[in-house]
Short mmCIF file of all heavy atoms in Angstrom, two decimals:
data_model
loop_
_atom_site.label_atom_id
_atom_site.label_comp_id
_atom_site.label_asym_id
_atom_site.label_seq_id
_atom_site.Cartn_x
_atom_site.Cartn_y
_atom_site.Cartn_z
N GLN R 9 1.15 10.94 3.53
CA GLN R 9 2.29 11.12 2.63
C GLN R 9 2.00 10.38 1.34
O GLN R 9 1.48 9.27 1.35
CB GLN R 9 3.55 10.54 3.29
CG GLN R 9 4.75 10.52 2.38
CD GLN R 9 5.91 9.72 2.98
OE1 GLN R 9 5.89 9.31 4.13
NE2 GLN R 9 6.92 9.49 2.16
N LYS R 10 2.36 10.99 0.21
CA LYS R 10 2.26 10.30 -1.07
C LYS R 10 3.65 10.18 -1.67
O LYS R 10 4.58 10.88 -1.26
CB LYS R 10 1.30 11.02 -2.02
CG LYS R 10 1.79 12.36 -2.53
CD LYS R 10 0.78 12.95 -3.50
CE LYS R 10 1.31 14.27 -4.06
NZ LYS R 10 0.42 14.81 -5.08
N SER R 11 3.79 9.33 -2.64
CA SER R 11 5.06 9.13 -3.32
C SER R 11 5.44 10.37 -4.12
O SER R 11 4.59 11.04 -4.71
CB SER R 11 4.94 7.93 -4.28
OG SER R 11 6.06 7.88 -5.14
N SER R 12 6.71 10.66 -4.17
CA SER R 12 7.19 11.78 -4.99
C SER R 12 7.02 11.48 -6.47
O SER R 12 7.12 12.37 -7.30
CB SER R 12 8.66 12.08 -4.68
OG SER R 12 9.48 11.00 -5.09
N TYR R 13 6.75 10.22 -6.80
CA TYR R 13 6.53 9.83 -8.19
C TYR R 13 5.10 10.12 -8.64
O TYR R 13 4.78 9.96 -9.81
CB TYR R 13 6.86 8.34 -8.40
CG TYR R 13 8.33 8.06 -8.25
CD1 TYR R 13 8.88 7.77 -7.00
CD2 TYR R 13 9.18 8.10 -9.35
CE1 TYR R 13 10.23 7.53 -6.85
CE2 TYR R 13 10.53 7.85 -9.20
CZ TYR R 13 11.06 7.58 -7.96
OH TYR R 13 12.39 7.34 -7.82
N CYS R 14 4.27 10.51 -7.73
CA CYS R 14 2.91 10.88 -8.06
C CYS R 14 2.93 12.31 -8.58
O CYS R 14 3.54 13.19 -7.98
CB CYS R 14 2.04 10.79 -6.80
SG CYS R 14 0.31 11.07 -7.13
N VAL R 23 -0.09 7.20 2.50
CA VAL R 23 0.16 6.38 3.68
C VAL R 23 0.35 7.27 4.89
O VAL R 23 0.76 8.44 4.75
CB VAL R 23 1.38 5.45 3.52
CG1 VAL R 23 1.16 4.42 2.44
CG2 VAL R 23 2.64 6.23 3.25
N LYS R 59 9.74 -3.70 -3.26
CA LYS R 59 11.17 -3.48 -3.50
C LYS R 59 11.80 -4.63 -4.26
O LYS R 59 12.74 -4.43 -5.04
CB LYS R 59 11.90 -3.27 -2.18
CG LYS R 59 11.64 -1.92 -1.57
CD LYS R 59 12.43 -1.76 -0.28
CE LYS R 59 12.27 -0.36 0.27
NZ LYS R 59 13.12 -0.12 1.44
N ALA R 101 3.16 4.51 -9.23
CA ALA R 101 3.83 5.63 -8.56
C ALA R 101 4.12 5.27 -7.10
O ALA R 101 5.20 5.56 -6.57
CB ALA R 101 2.99 6.90 -8.65
N PHE R 102 3.15 4.63 -6.43
CA PHE R 102 3.35 4.20 -5.04
C PHE R 102 4.49 3.18 -4.97
O PHE R 102 5.36 3.25 -4.09
CB PHE R 102 2.05 3.61 -4.49
CG PHE R 102 2.18 3.09 -3.08
CD1 PHE R 102 2.20 3.95 -2.00
CD2 PHE R 102 2.29 1.72 -2.85
CE1 PHE R 102 2.32 3.47 -0.70
CE2 PHE R 102 2.41 1.23 -1.56
CZ PHE R 102 2.42 2.11 -0.48
N LEU R 104 7.01 2.77 -7.04
CA LEU R 104 8.30 3.44 -7.27
C LEU R 104 8.77 4.16 -6.01
O LEU R 104 9.96 4.13 -5.67
CB LEU R 104 8.19 4.43 -8.44
CG LEU R 104 8.05 3.79 -9.82
CD1 LEU R 104 7.78 4.88 -10.87
CD2 LEU R 104 9.28 2.99 -10.19
N GLY R 105 7.84 4.81 -5.32
CA GLY R 105 8.20 5.47 -4.06
C GLY R 105 8.67 4.48 -3.02
O GLY R 105 9.63 4.73 -2.29
N ALA R 106 8.01 3.33 -2.94
CA ALA R 106 8.42 2.29 -1.99
C ALA R 106 9.82 1.79 -2.33
O ALA R 106 10.66 1.62 -1.44
CB ALA R 106 7.43 1.14 -2.01
N ARG R 107 10.08 1.56 -3.61
CA ARG R 107 11.40 1.08 -4.03
C ARG R 107 12.49 2.11 -3.76
O ARG R 107 13.64 1.75 -3.53
CB ARG R 107 11.38 0.73 -5.52
CG ARG R 107 10.55 -0.50 -5.80
CD ARG R 107 10.51 -0.85 -7.27
NE ARG R 107 9.50 -1.86 -7.44
CZ ARG R 107 8.56 -1.82 -8.37
NH1 ARG R 107 8.52 -0.83 -9.25
NH2 ARG R 107 7.65 -2.77 -8.43
N ALA R 108 12.12 3.39 -3.79
CA ALA R 108 13.08 4.47 -3.52
C ALA R 108 13.27 4.71 -2.02
O ALA R 108 14.07 5.55 -1.63
CB ALA R 108 12.62 5.76 -4.20
N GLY R 109 12.53 3.99 -1.19
CA GLY R 109 12.69 4.11 0.25
C GLY R 109 11.88 5.23 0.88
O GLY R 109 12.10 5.58 2.04
N GLU R 110 10.93 5.79 0.14
CA GLU R 110 10.18 6.94 0.65
C GLU R 110 9.29 6.62 1.84
O GLU R 110 8.92 7.52 2.59
CB GLU R 110 9.33 7.53 -0.47
CG GLU R 110 10.14 8.15 -1.58
CD GLU R 110 9.30 8.74 -2.69
OE1 GLU R 110 8.06 8.64 -2.65
OE2 GLU R 110 9.90 9.32 -3.60
N PHE R 111 8.96 5.36 2.04
CA PHE R 111 8.08 4.98 3.14
C PHE R 111 8.81 4.17 4.21
O PHE R 111 8.19 3.65 5.14
CB PHE R 111 6.88 4.19 2.60
CG PHE R 111 6.20 4.89 1.46
CD1 PHE R 111 6.15 4.31 0.20
CD2 PHE R 111 5.64 6.15 1.62
CE1 PHE R 111 5.55 4.95 -0.87
CE2 PHE R 111 5.03 6.81 0.56
CZ PHE R 111 4.98 6.21 -0.69
N ASP R 112 10.13 4.06 4.09
CA ASP R 112 10.91 3.26 5.04
C ASP R 112 10.80 3.78 6.47
O ASP R 112 10.91 3.01 7.42
CB ASP R 112 12.37 3.20 4.63
CG ASP R 112 12.62 2.29 3.43
OD1 ASP R 112 11.66 1.68 2.93
OD2 ASP R 112 13.78 2.22 2.99
N HIS R 113 10.58 5.09 6.65
CA HIS R 113 10.46 5.62 8.01
C HIS R 113 9.25 5.02 8.73
O HIS R 113 9.24 4.94 9.95
CB HIS R 113 10.36 7.15 7.98
CG HIS R 113 9.14 7.65 7.29
ND1 HIS R 113 8.99 7.65 5.92
CD2 HIS R 113 7.98 8.16 7.80
CE1 HIS R 113 7.80 8.15 5.61
NE2 HIS R 113 7.17 8.46 6.73
N LEU R 114 8.28 4.54 7.99
CA LEU R 114 7.13 3.88 8.62
C LEU R 114 7.49 2.47 9.08
O LEU R 114 6.85 1.93 9.98
CB LEU R 114 5.94 3.85 7.66
CG LEU R 114 5.40 5.22 7.28
CD1 LEU R 114 4.38 5.11 6.15
CD2 LEU R 114 4.78 5.91 8.48
#
Side-chain angles (χ1 to χ4, degrees):
Q9 173 190 351
K10 69 178 183 175
S11 169
S12 66
Y13 292 88
C14 185
V23 295
K59 286 182 175 185
F102 178 77
L104 289 173
R107 290 180 191 132
E110 294 180 357
F111 310 117
D112 286 358
H113 64 285
L114 296 170

